[in-house]
Amino acid sequence: MLTAVMKPPVDIRVIINPASAARRTAGRISAIVTSLEREFPERCSIALTRSPGDAENLACRAVQEGVSLLICVGGDGTLNEVINGMLAATGGTLPATSLGLINSGSGQGFALSVRLPVTLQEQVGLLCRYPGRPVDLGAVTVHDASGVRRTRFFINECQVGIGADVVRGSRELGKWAGGLISYGLATVKAIFRSPNVEATLSIDGGPAEALSLLGLCIGNGDLTGG
C-alpha cells in the first residue's frame, strides 16, 4: 500500500525591495526569508525588485497566478506599487489575493497608521495568525505628461504641492539618515522652493472653489513621513 505525501501549495508570494530603508532591507533578506519559512514552510516564493516599477509588475503577475497571500517587504513606496499592481491585475476590482506587510521602509506611514508591531517576528506572526481586515483605498485620476488619463490608487495618503516635493526631495537625499531626518531636511528645502498650486477644489460634491494652495494632503492613514 502506497501512502501519498502531499506537499503544501506554494501559494504565498513575497515581494522584497532590497533598496528600501536606504538599502538596509538588503541586509535583512536572509532573516526575513528564514522567519517566513518557519511560519509558512515550503509555501513561499520570493521575488526581489531591481528597479522602480518592478514591485507593481510582480504584484500584478502574482494576482494573475492566483496566489492566496501577497507579502510586501518594503516601505510606503513599495507598498504603493504593490497595491497598484494588484488592482491592475483585476481591472480595479477587489482581488481575491490578500495583502500582508513586513515593514522595512524609511517613513513607515502606513505601518504606523495601522499600528503594525515593530519586530520582524511579531509582524510575521501576525501574518500567520491574524485573519486580516478590510482597508479603504483612495483613487486619483490624472492626465500624465503625455496627456493620457490614468488612475492610481493609494492606501495611506495622497499629496499635491509641497508634500509631493518633500517626497521627491527625500528620495534625492537617499534617506541615508532615516525617515525623520531625510523628510525633515527635504521639508526645509521645499519650504523655500515649492511654488503654490493653483487648484479648483470641491469637497464631497460641494461647490467648487478656486484656491492657491501650498499643498493638499488626502489622508487615509493618520501619519505620514514618520
Side-chain angles (χ1 to χ4, degrees):
M1 180 178 180
L2 295 176
T3 301
V5 177
M6 301 296 292
K7 295 185 67 175
V10 182
D11 62 337
I12 299 173
R13 185 69 44 80
V14 184
I15 297 177
I16 303 175
N17 179 5
S20 62
R23 300 194 175 276
R24 289 189 295 275
T25 302
R28 303 178 63 211
I29 291 176
S30 178
I32 291 167
V33 172
T34 298
S35 187
L36 286 169
E37 188 61 30
R38 187 182 303 117
E39 295 286 356
F40 303 102
E42 299 184 47
R43 290 182 59 189
C44 298
S45 60
I46 310 298
L48 302 181
T49 67
R50 291 177 172 81
S51 60
D54 280 357
E56 187 167 338
N57 295 329
L58 290 168
C60 181
R61 191 179 313 150
V63 172
Q64 291 171 339
E65 292 173 359
V67 303
S68 64
L69 174 62
L70 178 56
I71 299 174
C72 171
V73 182
D76 290 334
T78 311
L79 183 61
N80 180 268
E81 283 198 20
V82 166
I83 288 166
N84 278 278
M86 294 177 72
L87 273 293
T90 61
T93 61
L94 186 67
T97 302
S98 297
L99 174 64
L101 173 65
I102 293 178
N103 181 42
S104 189
S106 300
Q108 306 179 34
F110 181 72
L112 291 170
S113 290
V114 297
R115 312 303 188 258
L116 198 69
V118 174
T119 69
L120 172 61
Q121 290 74 21
E122 289 174 316
Q123 291 179 21
V124 174
L126 195 67
L127 290 171
C128 183
R129 287 176 280 278
Y130 185 64
R133 71 182 191 189
V135 178
D136 290 332
L137 291 178
V140 180
T141 301
V142 300
H143 290 86
D144 66 15
S146 303
V148 178
R149 180 184 171 96
R150 299 184 185 277
T151 296
R152 298 287 296 180
F153 298 93
F154 65 93
I155 194 169
N156 192 58
E157 62 172 311
C158 173
Q159 295 210 44
V160 176
I162 190 171
D165 291 338
V166 169
V167 172
R168 189 180 302 111
S170 68
R171 288 176 179 169
E172 292 172 356
L173 289 169
K175 302 179 183 178
W176 52 268
L180 283 174
I181 294 177
S182 293
Y183 282 112
L185 291 173
T187 299
V188 172
K189 179 180 177 181
I191 286 172
F192 294 101
R193 296 191 178 184
S194 295
N196 277 17
V197 177
E198 305 303 318
T200 302
L201 187 64
S202 171
I203 299 176
D204 293 336
E209 183 178 2
L211 298 170
S212 182
L213 304 171
L214 179 61
L216 175 66
C217 180
I218 303 167
N220 190 35
D222 56 4
L223 292 165
T224 177

